[in-house]
Amino acid sequence: MSERISREELVKIYNIEVTFFDELVDYGLLNIQIENNIHYLMYEDLPDLEKFANWHYDLEINLPGLEVIHNMLKKLDALNRRNRELMNKLSAINDQYEDI
């Protein structure tokens, strides 16, 4: 089973509000597991929580803004991956023509 941490622990550790955490979940920015009425976040999702908390508390970005930024960064990452794939294909084609 993957490691996880409870919402209550996260609120204490990161000094965030429970409502902020719950709003991140409501906006679909964090995925949680609920067991025995306790909300858990998987350890692999901690970087996202840290990022959202920093943007919200340090930069004063509201929840809709966090959602927009997060979605744009996901799209940018996908475009960068696709660009690398295409560049690799182009490089392979160029290599074939150099052999002729």
Side-chain angles (χ1 to χ4, degrees), residues 21-59:
F21 183 90
D22 291 343
E23 287 174 340
L24 290 172
V25 172
D26 291 344
Y27 271 80
L29 295 171
L30 292 178
N31 296 311
I32 61 167
Q33 294 179 349
I34 301 174
E35 186 177 303
N36 298 326
N37 214 21
I38 299 173
H39 295 76
Y40 292 99
L41 183 70
M42 304 308 292
Y43 279 173
E44 64 234 27
D45 296 326
L46 282 175
D48 284 339
L49 174 66
E50 291 173 359
K51 176 177 54 178
F52 296 138
N54 287 335
W55 291 347
H56 180 70
Y57 289 105
D58 296 342
L59 301 177

Side-chain angles (χ1 to χ4, degrees), residues 61-74:
I61 298 173
N62 62 16
L63 270 291
L66 293 178
E67 183 179 33
V68 168
I69 293 168
H70 180 68
N71 288 335
M72 289 179 71
L73 288 174
K74 282 189 348 186

